[in-house]
Amino acid sequence: MNTPESRCGAVLTIDLAAIAANYRLLQQRVGPAACSAVMKADAYGLGAAQVAPVLRQAGCRHFFVAHLEEGIALRKVLRGDETVYVLHGAPPGAEMDMLEFRLVPVLNSQQQLTAWQGAARQLGRRLPAIVQVDSGMSRMGMPPAEVDAWLAQQDPKAGLDLHYVMSHLAVADEPDHPFNREQLARFTAIRARLGNIPGSLANSSGIFLGPDYHFGLARPGVALYGGNPLPGSANPMQPVVTLQGRVVQARTIAAGDYVGYALSYQAPAERTIATVSVGYADGWLRHLSNKGHVLIGGARAPVVGRVSMDSMTVDVTGIAPSLVTAGALVDLLSPEQTVDDVAALAGTIGYEILTSLGQRYHRRYIGD
Ligand SMILES: *Cc1c(COP(=O)(O)O)cnc(C)c1O
């Protein structure tokens, strides 16, 4: 009997030991501040249920998700003394769900603050929260004027046990961009008005902007999962993801023959073309048509033609036929062609490649 691994069209291997090592490296960098783990979008597509216990084992006690539902799912895995924060806060009216699952909201607006304080009053106890302020990204959190209005109320922090005040950086991946300092200054000023409760500002790249940005709690995501927090420089993180696709068939085509939809590739000479069973429905973006390569026994086989929904075609001319027989596995993501490399080819960022990784892959977790 075949196993799912031997039957599947592609194998996604996730190195949990590398994720743990990445966590420890980031924790060392931000110490004495605490280091959390951002787990939104199913741990950037890698599987929160598998990743969370490994991070906890590595010492992580603070976790972030985006949605309440993600928090509820994570609480099934993390049942202990960890804190699970929900970045979007509670949807209106869902405050009690937050409490039922021991989730802590990030309060992003006066409306969310008021609702959480209402829940506290109803229960007659203080409720934990993070308050988010907008230091220049205009995405989430209270802008300075809204913070002022809040603080002008009578007993503004009534019912709140504020763990942190947080904000988010817009250009942390561009270390020389002056807006990093600007956001730091704005954040520092707002935090002072709030009575200097512990701060949280840095995402993965923000950690590498230096200790000024660390405050009490760092919030890395992509770097835990092997993404490069320092675009343009050597990646300090260990690679986490490898992806192998299976050859469905290989054929020789003549000079002038076409490959794929829209006939976007025409062979200049006789070529051997292998069809690999990974396509855009698996997260290999159609933008990668005629771009990049796969590795076969260490040799590069360029992608030719359009990426289809379930398959892509690669030029394997000159590669030993025994390596491209039906059923052979070829490397799509590896230390030689990383998530960030593929992202650059597709005109996007590693985050999008990771979170697009398909549900059809056989997932293999190693290093646990
Ligand atoms: C996604 C996110 C993070 C993590 O960002 P990375 O760049 O992946 O490290 C941190 N904070 C907030 C508010 C986020 O939305």
Side-chain angles (χ1 to χ4, degrees), residues 203-339:
N203 66 337
S204 297
S205 296
I207 288 172
F208 293 86
L209 294 175
D212 288 357
Y213 291 81
H214 294 168
F215 295 94
L217 181 71
R219 302 188 314 270
V222 78
L224 293 170
Y225 312 116
N228 189 357
L230 300 167
S233 307
N235 189 350
M237 314 315 298
Q238 289 192 20
V240 169
V241 168
T242 53
L243 175 63
Q244 296 174 296
R246 203 179 290 288
V247 173
V248 182
Q249 68 173 145
R251 79 184 73 237
T252 299
I253 61 172
D257 283 354
Y258 296 100
V259 177
Y261 284 122
L263 314 178
S264 69
Y265 177 83
Q266 186 175 29
E270 187 178 278
R271 283 282 182 262
T272 309
I273 303 296
T275 303
V276 177
S277 61
V278 169
Y280 61 75
D282 304 297
W284 203 264
L285 307 179
R286 191 165 164 282
H287 235 78
L288 292 164
S289 298
N290 290 299
K291 283 185 190 149
H293 57 266
V294 305
L295 281 153
I296 304 175
R300 287 179 170 208
V303 174
V304 293
R306 287 274 166 89
V307 174
S308 303
M309 184 185 293
D310 317 298
S311 65
M312 59 201 276
T313 34
V314 297
D315 182 349
V316 297
T317 310
I319 293 176
S322 63
L323 296 177
V324 289
T325 51
L329 287 171
V330 304
D331 295 335
L332 282 82
L333 293 172
S334 66
E336 286 75 32
Q337 180 168 256
T338 66
V339 165

Side-chain angles (χ1 to χ4, degrees), residues 111-175:
Q111 187 188 348
Q112 289 189 332
L113 261 168
T114 304
W116 199 236
Q117 287 176 304
R121 208 175 320 110
Q122 204 178 320
L123 296 168
R125 61 182 165 96
R126 293 201 309 153
L127 297 179
I130 288 179
V131 64
Q132 176 154 221
V133 297
D134 179 14
S135 58
M137 197 172 170
S138 309
R139 186 181 70 167
M140 272 197 275
M142 293 192 286
E146 201 173 326
V147 174
D148 285 342
W150 167 43
L151 292 178
Q153 294 170 16
Q154 192 191 342
D155 200 4
K157 295 185 201 165
L160 300 177
D161 169 17
L162 288 180
H163 288 186
Y164 296 97
V165 53
M166 70 171 260
S167 194
H168 195 49
L169 295 166
V171 284
D173 55 341
E174 296 177 51

